[in-house]
Amino acid sequence: MSNVRLPDVTAESDTPRRVLLAPSLLASDFTRLGDELQAIAGADWAHVDVMDGQFVPNISFGLPILAAARAASPLFMDVHLMIDRPERYLKDFADAGADGLTVHVESTPHIHRAVQQIRELGKKAGVTLNPGTPLETLRPLLPDVDLVLIMSVNPGFGGQKFIPHSLDRIRTVRRWLDELGSAAELQVDGGVGPTNARAVVNAGASNLVAGSAVFGPGGAQAGLERLREALK
Ligand code: DX5
Ligand code: ZN
């Protein structure tokens, strides 16, 4: 028997990618928000999931919680707006401490204007779409955004299972961004944890959101460490 190692078929890219980790505060203990932010001080971003009970079938939190998180932590506040017609509130979220604002293509007929408004506010502009929405809907926006978020669950709730087909969507957007020479972040959100983080990055992601995988039993610091280990 020879001992020859087979090539690693999961390695889709031979250039190592730097990966930013963005724990989602949705899964944190809100009674201890300041401590939870301390526990993720070693992360790159804090992901802030805002839900309005209209665009998604759940209500999470809004401006005052973002302002509290902002006051308690120097982390980049990455705000994911799951709200109808987000352009109505972009300035309010910018004023409350957002560093980046991500809007859904399905949430407004004027998605490009929303992206322009975010940039005019001096914030990083992100665009995203639900798992059932064709990727082509975000293609015209790619030259003008700082971040593309591929949702790997249907937005509205934490703790759901990663939809496997999302890997193909990540690969396609990675190719489009590379063709454009874009340095935009390619973020993935939903069901990401130590068991699939490597595959998600190999497919082309540069930025991982994780809620339940970070703020689990044992504390967020350990959760973050498990995620980093899985990416080594
Ligand atoms: C879903 C949110 C996600 C969610 C991720 O609507 O956008 O950010 O909190 O949670 P996990 O990592 O538990 O799937
Ligand atoms: Zn999110």
Side-chain angles (χ1 to χ4, degrees), residues 154-173:
N154 284 292
F157 303 93
Q160 302 180 77
K161 265 212 173 74
F162 183 90
I163 300 170
H165 176 64
S166 310
L167 289 174
D168 286 337
R169 289 164 68 83
I170 299 163
R171 287 185 194 105
T172 301
V173 174

Side-chain angles (χ1 to χ4, degrees), residues 138-145 148 172-184:
L138 59 75
R139 200 164 185 181
L141 306 163
L142 294 183
D144 299 314
V145 296
V148 177
T172 301
V173 174
R174 167 50 59 204
R175 200 180 69 239
W176 289 349
L177 289 174
D178 288 352
E179 281 167 9
L180 283 172
S182 167

Side-chain angles (χ1 to χ4, degrees), residues 121 123 146 148 152 164 178 194:
L121 289 164
K123 307 299 170 189
D146 304 295
V148 177
S152 40
D178 288 352

Side-chain angles (χ1 to χ4, degrees), residues 3-4 7 18 31 35-36 48 54 58 65 73 77 83 97 102 110 134 137 141 151 157 166 181 191 208:
N3 235 349
V4 178
R18 69 112 181 69
T31 67
D35 295 342
E36 295 283 60
V48 180
Q54 292 288 325
N58 193 15
I65 296 291
S73 167
M77 290 292 152
I83 66 177
T102 297
H110 296 292
T137 56
L141 306 163
M151 288 305 300
F157 303 93
S166 310
L208 304 182

Side-chain angles (χ1 to χ4, degrees), residues 24 26 47 49 51 80 82 151 155-159 189-191 209-212:
S24 166
L26 185 64
H47 185 79
D49 284 308
M51 306 178 184
H80 177 190
M82 288 163 272
M151 288 305 300
F157 303 93
D189 183 5
V209 176
S212 40

